[in-house]
Amino acid sequence: MDTILVVNAGSSSVKFQVYSIEGEGILRRQLKGQMDGIGSRPRLRATGSTGNPLADRAYPIEAVPDVPAAMDIAGAWLRDELRIHPIAVGHRVVHGGPDYDRPIQVDHGVVTRLERFIALAPLHQPHNLAPIRSILANFPQLPQVACFDTAFHRTHSPVADHYAIPHQLYAEGVRRYGFHGLSYEYIAKTLPRVAPKIANGRVIVAHLGSGASMCALSAGRSVESTMGFTALDGLPMGTRPGQIDPGVVLYLISEKGMSASNIQNFLYRDCGLKGLSGVSNDMRELESSEDPRARLAIEYFNYRIGLNAGMLAAALQGLDAFVFTAGIGENSATIRAHVVGQLAWLGVTLDPALNSRNAQLISGSDSRIPVYVVPTDEELMIAQHTVSLLMKTASTNQRQERAS
Ligand code: ADP
């Protein structure tokens, strides 16, 4: 049976999933795994479609010094031990810059263009591109598709994607892009089934995971996001501060003598829930902590979600539904209850029993606006894009052959 490999590579881990193609557009997840601890304590773990363990192996640090090495080992394991030979690979690539508003099949030329956006996402883009380059070198015939976190937001109007800075910088690519686009696209595609009445309306989606953002959907299209030029903006996250006055950054430079790379590390790794609580970046640990700073961090998180919901409702000129998704949004009844509390001014109420069961519809029967919990699936989105691009390329080739 034909399979698709989906790859999501970060700085210290390569996550992968394999889908089988079971008929027109039907995909089934066969396995998921990851090589983490790259360059520190490498470990390959994988489970099958029912969660059955398939691998759990440690490697010496020198065997897996970087992402390409991790990709080589995971690829060899899939090929040699599981006899999986995917017909294409779909990659998550964080930044498509101003150029890409949809997934694209990659060749060396596309990789070179995507390298230009490394400066726009220095902590993600190089790692996303590394496995693409290594597969291009080792399996040049294997089709690869890049799926961008920014692409879904390319529908924003000029007023939503500008900063009030001189135009030259906008032309260079300094724009408000928005991220988590694959997650929002999945939700937008799922809403017509889950909630047909509101899928065409004005919806705020809160993607609350280690990274967190919110998106305003109008008739299934993104019109505004809390994230901007980088994935630092907007809501507070596990280790990122979210919206912060640029004056704070100037203060860190002038008063603390911090360099650009110190500040980069600080903003990506030491702030957010971790920095504010001094306890953890993990919401589960914060929820079970007695430390008052952990409580402050949670309150700050909820408060900022409420503020940003107001902003996005203004962008939409009203609101027809609110959707929670990702690790915290799908699993934390407490956070959802507090966020819904922040939305009380909009006439939103909660059904506590449904909320505590992580039900799909958690708003009260008297709520003016329905509130949903919809689990996201960015990897499935990537697999679907990869298959549909393959099919499109195949039918274009057929048409060209017939015409010649
Ligand atoms: P990412 O994919 O960005 O790494 P996830 O979407 O997996 O992140 O979300 C991770 C976050 O979800 C962590 O902060 C984790 O604590 C939180 N989380 C997961 N399960 C629960 C739960 N049952 N209660 C509260 N928070 C949870």
Side-chain angles (χ1 to χ4, degrees):
M1 185 173 291
D2 286 340
T3 53
I4 299 284
L5 174 65
V6 170
V7 176
N8 181 0
S11 58
S12 64
S13 75
V14 174
K15 296 182 186 157
F16 55 91
Q17 301 201 358
V18 173
Y19 291 82
S20 54
I21 307 173
E22 309 195 335
E24 193 91 339
I26 300 172
L27 292 166
R28 207 161 73 85
R29 196 182 333 257
Q30 295 292 339
L31 67 86
K32 64 171 157 188
Q34 63 183 71
M35 174 75 91
D36 53 24
I38 295 171
S40 56
R41 295 170 64 191
R43 195 171 197 105
L44 173 70
R45 275 179 272 229
T47 51
S49 56
T50 55
N52 49 310
L54 295 174
D56 188 355
R57 303 174 186 174
Y59 292 84
I61 181 169
E62 57 282 3
V64 197
D66 52 22
V67 169
M71 197 62 233
D72 287 349
I73 291 178
W77 175 71
L78 289 170
R79 279 190 311 278
D80 301 341
E81 297 191 33
L82 301 190
R83 308 271 168 230
I84 289 174
H85 300 274
I87 60 163
V89 186
H91 296 266
R92 176 186 210 154
V93 177
V94 73
H95 226 301
D99 298 358
Y100 295 111
D101 63 356
R102 66 198 63 188
I104 180 150
Q105 192 162 336
V106 273
D107 54 20
H108 288 286
V110 171
V111 172
T112 306
R113 281 202 289 286
L114 293 176
E115 278 168 352
R116 293 206 320 262
F117 309 136
I118 286 177
L120 309 191
L123 295 191
H124 296 98
Q125 195 84 345
H127 307 296
N128 300 157
L129 298 183
I132 299 183
R133 258 191 246 101
S134 116
I135 294 173
L136 271 176
N138 296 321
F139 302 93
Q141 303 307 329
L142 186 59
Q144 299 192 74
V145 174
C147 301
F148 305 104
D149 266 318
T150 47
F152 185 65
H153 301 294
R154 302 298 300 134
T155 46
H156 288 184
S157 66
V159 74
D161 86 344
H162 271 76
Y163 288 110
I165 53 177
H167 183 77
Q168 176 53 34
L169 286 163
Y170 178 86
E172 281 174 28
V174 184
R175 305 177 185 190
R176 294 189 65 243
Y177 290 98
F179 297 85
H180 293 132
L182 292 159
S183 173
Y184 294 126
E185 188 180 7
Y186 175 83
I187 302 292
K189 284 209 149 78
T190 303
L191 279 181
R193 182 169 43 79
V194 169
K197 283 207 186 106
I198 53 90
N200 240 358
R202 300 159 297 180
V203 180
I204 292 177
V205 185
H207 175 108
L208 309 177
S210 308
S213 72
M214 290 159 75
C215 174
L217 292 178
S218 175
R221 284 156 59 94
S222 170
V223 297
E224 185 54 273
S225 158
T226 57
M227 276 181 170
F229 178 54
T230 68
L232 283 171
D233 205 0
L235 301 179
M237 296 165 240
T239 57
R240 291 169 254 166
Q243 187 189 0
I244 190 166
D245 181 341
V248 175
V249 176
L250 295 176
Y251 176 86
L252 295 176
I253 297 167
S254 64
E255 301 303 313
K256 300 285 174 188
M258 284 172 77
S259 67
S261 72
N262 283 341
I263 291 176
Q264 180 168 287
N265 259 325
F266 175 73
L267 292 176
Y268 277 96
R269 300 195 211 281
D270 295 334
C271 294
L273 299 174
K274 177 183 167 194
L276 187 53
S277 70
V279 172
S280 172
N281 61 328
D282 192 293
M283 188 54 87
R284 278 166 295 201
E285 286 180 33
L286 295 179
E287 284 187 342
S288 58
S289 168
E290 296 291 313
D291 192 313
R293 289 178 309 162
R295 252 172 277 151
L296 173 66
I298 295 176
E299 261 174 53
Y300 183 80
F301 185 69
N302 297 332
Y303 173 66
R304 301 302 303 191
I305 294 170
L307 286 186
N308 280 272
M311 176 185 86
L312 296 183
L316 289 166
Q317 289 292 292
L319 192 59
D320 300 314
F322 191 95
V323 177
F324 288 99
T325 194
I328 299 170
E330 291 165 28
N331 297 299
S332 175
T334 320
I335 297 292
R336 287 195 303 260
H338 281 111
V339 170
V340 169
Q342 301 274 350
L343 304 178
W345 65 277
L346 283 166
V348 183
T349 66
L350 189 74
D351 182 317
L354 291 175
N355 184 42
S356 65
R357 289 211 301 273
N358 296 334
Q360 193 170 70
L361 180 65
I362 59 168
S363 39
S365 54
D366 58 344
S367 186
R368 214 176 58 74
I369 293 164
V371 180
Y372 294 92
V373 178
V374 181
T376 193
D377 197 338
E378 291 148 296
E379 287 78 14
L380 179 62
M381 206 63 244
I382 296 171
Q384 284 175 350
H385 279 309
T386 305
V387 171
S388 57
L389 210 57
L390 277 187
M391 288 185 344
K392 218 183 277 169
T393 313
S395 73
T396 311
N397 290 346
Q398 269 173 5
R399 266 203 312 275
Q400 281 169 351
E401 271 167 30
R402 260 186 257 125
S404 63

